Each structure stands twice: as structure tokens, then as C-alpha cells.
Amino acid sequence: MSGAPPTPSPSQAPVGVDPTRPSIARIYDGFLGGKDHYEVDRAVMRKISEAVPEAVDIAKGNRGFLNRACRFLAAQSKIEQYLDCGSGLPTAENTHQIVQRSNPDARVIYMDNDPVVLAHGRALLEENENVHMAEADIFNPPAVLQHEIVRKHLDFTEPMVLLHVGTLHHFEGDGGPAVMQEYIDALAPGSYVVFSHFYDPQVPELTALAKKIENILVHGPMGAGRFRTEDEILAMLPGLDIVKPNATTEPGLVVCDEWWPDGPRLTPISTAGHCIAGIVARKP
Ligand code: SAM
């Protein structure tokens, strides 16, 4: 073993229902139109919106990608098990609702460490025996992969869909690739990873926008929220075959709104919408 263990990311400390500490889940849900936020969350939301009025498009782009990726995999893969890490507060359309529409027997495990998410999730899922909410630090892969609920309901010898959507940007430092490697190693061949991340497209105007939001998140009470480059994001998905992201783009990273959109765009993607990127990839 070499040296001291890495300093944990701020989002690894359980939030608690502490009205003096903002929550990633409540702020993100607030941008999606949810109502479960406190003044401390609204203060961060206001700061972000004042700096970047279109910031809401990052949350919407991310959630739209998650929904379309789930719909695609549920309809076109035969996979019946889903592990949704950092699932967030229940909102209009959640992973289990989308995938169980195609296959009512699909099993979904949601993981989060925010007590508001856990409470809402458990209440919503009470009557669905194929869906479970569990608590773990998603940046500590063994805690998720060995979790008793995961081991009871998911079969790691069969392909599954692993979702890490809008999560790793809340992980500070350069340990993201190692975290994802542990997850990917645990998956059976034929499994899929659905992944999205705050994106710095390295275009001056967009980098400036990304930095404005990053500064508020990293140097504010949240303590985490990194916009990473294409190379930094792709390094978190080693050894996977990336699914073609739309009809005209070769397999690679794309802005979430460009990942198999529901139809042709009638309005252009906003500047902020270019700062969240997504990937669906298969383990060979
Ligand atoms: N995946 C959902 C989506 O894309 O719509 C929600 C994304 S939300 C931006 C990030 C979620 O990750 C929040 O619900 C937050 O509580 C959770 N999260 C952040 N750090 C975590 C950690 N260390 N362990 C477990 N969950 C965490």
C-alpha cells in the first residue's frame, strides 16, 4: 500500500436532512421542476441561474438522455436487470417506469446516499417487488457491488445495465477512472453502461460557461461539481464499445441532447446544453 488514502469527495459525506447544507439531489430536482428543496438549495440554484441563465438546460439535457437511453436498452436489449447509481429524487419518469413498460419483470436497484432521495424512493417503490432502493456511497464500488440488496436481486453472471448518470462530476480528484474500472470489471460481458458527465467542450465560450458553474459548485457549500474534457470522460469508460450515438455520428462522446433525440431539432441546443455529455457503451 502506498501513502494515505485519498481525501474523500465532499459528496461522499452523507448529507442528512440538514436544512443548512445544500443537497445535489434537491438542487438537480429543483432545476427539473421538482418542489423538494430548501432555502439553502434555492440559494445555490439562484447563484447558478444568475451566472448562467440557461443552466437549467444541463439538468434537462441530462434527464432526457437518461430517459431515452433506458427506453432504447429496455426495448432493444434482452437485459432484465438495472443498477442505477446516484438515482436522484423520483421525478416524472424514472428508470423502473421506463424499463418496466417494455418488460414488467425488469429488476431495478436504485442507489443513493441522500436521505430525502432514500425516503421518497422507498415510499414510491413500496408496492413494486422488482424495484428496490438501497443506500451506499456510489464512489466506493465495493459498498455498492457487495450490498446485500444488490447481491440478492441482481445476478452478476448475466448482463446488466449499469447507470452512472450525472454522478461522477460530483467526484473530486482524478480517481474517476479507477472507480468506474471497478464497476466495469464486475459486469458480465454483454452488459451496458449508461453514463453522463458535466462537459467542458474546450471551446472558449463554453469553457468559460463551464468554469462559472464549476466555481459555484466547487467553491460553494456543495464542494463538488467538475466539468471534464472529452479525454477525461472517456478515460472513465475503459474497454467498452461505445454505441453509435445518433444516425450521423460515429461512436463517441456527444452532448446529451444529441444522443438519439426524439426527432429533428426545431430549436438549436442552448450554450449550456453543450456542457453535459452522454454515452451508452457495451462491455464486449
Ligand atoms: N442519476 C439521476 C439523473 O441523472 O437524473 C440523478 C443525478 S443527480 C445530479 C446526482 C445524484 O447522485 C444525487 O441523487 C445524489 O444524491 C447522488 N450522489 C452524489 N454523491 C453520491 C455518493 N457519494 N453516494 C451516493 N449517491 C451520491
Side-chain angles (χ1 to χ4, degrees):
M1 291 294 286
S2 62
T7 314
S9 221
S11 76
Q12 287 180 272
V15 208
V17 189
D18 176 356
T20 65
R21 190 177 157 203
S23 134
I24 294 162
R26 295 194 304 257
I27 290 172
Y28 173 68
D29 183 63
F31 275 119
L32 290 177
K35 300 282 175 267
D36 290 303
H37 36 71
Y38 299 130
E39 179 48 32
V40 68
D41 306 311
R42 290 191 285 277
V44 177
M45 288 165 67
R46 275 196 300 273
K47 237 180 162 175
I48 294 174
S49 300
E50 277 160 20
V52 179
E54 294 167 332
V56 62
D57 293 342
I58 295 181
K60 287 185 177 164
N62 183 67
R63 192 70 191 190
F65 161 73
L66 166 68
N67 291 356
R68 295 192 302 281
C70 284
R71 214 163 62 211
F72 158 68
L73 288 172
Q76 296 209 38
S77 80
K78 297 280 171 249
I79 298 179
E80 299 208 316
Q81 39 179 8
Y82 294 75
L83 176 54
D84 190 346
C85 295
S87 48
L89 277 163
T91 179
E93 282 269 87
N94 302 294
T95 300
H96 74 284
Q97 290 156 326
I98 298 169
V99 304
Q100 287 188 341
R101 218 172 279 140
S102 288
N103 178 358
D105 293 330
R107 306 184 307 283
V108 179
I109 307 296
Y110 291 120
M111 279 284 167
D112 213 287
N113 70 346
D114 184 313
V116 180
V117 172
L118 296 166
H120 281 253
R122 285 182 179 131
L124 175 77
L125 302 174
E126 222 164 36
E127 297 191 350
N128 195 326
E129 62 185 23
N130 285 334
V131 190
H132 301 272
M133 179 92 235
E135 178 177 5
D137 173 5
I138 56 169
F139 303 136
N140 178 7
V144 173
L145 297 168
Q146 300 305 330
H147 195 291
E148 58 172 340
I149 293 181
V150 169
R151 286 287 149 183
K152 184 168 173 200
H153 298 282
L154 302 183
D155 177 357
F156 281 82
T157 66
E158 292 291 327
M160 72 176 67
V161 175
L162 172 78
L163 296 109
H164 251 287
V165 182
T167 53
L168 262 294
H169 45 231
H170 298 301
F171 187 71
E172 285 292 298
D174 52 14
V179 168
M180 286 307 296
Q181 181 80 65
E182 269 193 84
Y183 279 107
I184 292 165
D185 285 349
L187 298 175
S191 295
Y192 284 84
V193 178
V194 181
F195 189 86
S196 73
H197 199 291
F198 288 162
Y199 178 40
D200 174 357
Q202 296 182 288
V203 173
E205 182 199 1
L206 299 176
T207 298
L209 184 154
K211 288 286 168 226
K212 275 193 207 172
I213 300 179
E214 186 174 287
N215 278 334
I216 295 170
L217 295 175
V218 173
H219 302 301
M222 310 271 295
R226 290 282 172 196
F227 286 71
R228 294 191 168 99
T229 63
E230 179 171 12
D231 286 351
E232 289 170 328
I233 295 173
L234 291 176
M236 295 189 211
L237 301 163
L240 300 180
D241 295 337
I242 300 176
V243 172
K244 199 171 158 51
N246 59 45
T248 54
T249 310
E250 289 308 308
L253 186 74
V254 289
V255 162
C256 281
D257 279 337
E258 287 174 346
W259 196 90
W260 292 106
D262 280 329
R265 287 202 70 86
L266 301 179
T267 51
I269 297 173
S270 75
T271 44
H274 285 94
C275 292
I276 180 82
I279 277 193
V280 175
R282 181 179 181 277
K283 180 166 174 176

